[in-house]
Structure formats: C-alpha cells, structure tokens
Amino acid sequence: MSEERYIIIADVSCDLSQEIRDYIGMKEYMRGHIHFDDGRDFETTLDWNNISRGDFYKQLSNKKSKITTAPANTEQCYELFKKYIEQGYAVLSMSLSSTISTTYNLTCVAADRLRKEYPDCKLYCFDSARMSGAFGLLTIHAHL
C-alpha cells in the first residue's frame, strides 16, 4: 500500500517565519499583493523580500498614504494548485478567514476549475475562520 503525497498551502496571512516553516516542513504558500497609491506594487512574501517590513508599516502609518492589499488572484491559485496536482499531490489550501478576505473564495473558484480538468484530483479548500496569529497557529498544527 503506497502512502499518499500531500501538500498544505496556506496563504501569506499565516505570517510564519522561515525558521518555523522549516521546522514544520512547510514547502509552499500562496502569495498576495500590496499596492501603494504612488503606483508601487509588490508581491507579498513571508520573508518580506520585495518590501521591508519597516517600509510597509511606515507607509501604513502615514495618514496621507493609501495602501491596499489583495490576495493572489484566481489564476495564480489555479497555477499553484495545478503544479502540485500534476505531480500527484493531494492539495489542502488553507485561507485566512473569509469574513475579512476573499482568498478562500478565489481558491474555491480555482479548485472547481481544476476538478473539472483533473476529476481524480484531491484538492480541498479550507476557510480557517481565523485571523493572522490564530491562522498561523492553525497552519502549524495542520503541518504537524
């Protein structure tokens, strides 16, 4: 009997450090986006590769500055899930609470599309119903 391969893909809102991700074996996560009113756009990463944490929070505290965040779009979700489905993985997508983010809904749209293309795939979308810190803890628990 062969053991099923699976991957858990949480969104960037889980806010886990590289050290924690290494410890729990977290291989992948769903990125997001930050848009500044001056036209700058960045992909959000857990390691703050594209913008420093300090710069982000400095801009956020500036009352004259307008910053918006957005989750990965449906196509980005689709491509990430597809990558693992084509490698034979079962995929569990974990999202920040759907009451404050559209991530869960976007992953469900991508998952429905993939289920039509790959009827035998195992792809599950999970609404954590939690915010950042609690979502991070839930992500850790799922990996262990």
Side-chain angles (χ1 to χ4, degrees):
M1 179 149 96
S2 66
E3 190 173 310
E4 185 168 49
R5 296 183 335 159
Y6 69 92
I7 187 162
I8 299 169
I9 302 174
D11 74 56
V12 71
S13 301
C14 69
D15 201 24
L16 299 176
S17 69
Q18 183 66 56
E19 181 180 16
I20 292 172
R21 295 192 319 266
D22 289 344
Y23 180 78
I24 64 174
M26 185 173 166
K27 298 176 187 131
E28 187 69 78
Y29 63 93
M30 186 76 60
R31 278 102 176 128
H33 305 277
I34 299 172
H35 175 75
F36 292 88
D37 59 357
D38 63 7
R40 294 180 296 152
D41 289 294
F42 300 97
E43 179 182 62
T44 56
T45 66
L46 289 170
D47 300 314
W48 295 85
N49 303 29
N50 301 319
I51 182 174
S52 75
R53 196 181 297 247
D55 186 34
F56 173 72
Y57 286 109
K58 181 180 175 184
Q59 291 288 324
L60 194 60
S61 67
N62 180 351
K63 302 288 185 217
K64 295 178 183 177
S65 188
K66 180 159 172 76
I67 300 172
T68 56
T69 60
N73 63 44
T74 302
E75 191 63 26
Q76 291 167 315
C77 298
Y78 169 87
E79 290 297 330
L80 183 57
F81 297 160
K82 181 180 175 183
K83 175 174 119 177
Y84 288 99
I85 288 168
E86 288 182 339
Q87 294 176 37
Y89 283 86
V91 177
L92 172 63
S93 169
M94 297 178 65
S95 302
L96 185 67
S97 176
S98 63
T99 61
I100 63 166
S101 174
T102 61
T103 305
Y104 173 72
N105 294 329
L106 295 171
T107 61
C108 288
V109 170
D112 287 344
R113 181 175 158 199
L114 283 160
R115 288 186 198 108
K116 289 175 185 164
E117 294 175 29
Y118 301 88
D120 294 332
C121 77
K122 294 181 180 175
L123 174 54
Y124 309 96
C125 297
F126 176 74
D127 178 354
S128 73
R130 300 290 178 263
M131 308 307 177
S132 187
F135 177 43
L137 292 172
L138 191 60
T139 301
I140 292 168
H141 184 73
H143 278 84
L144 300 175

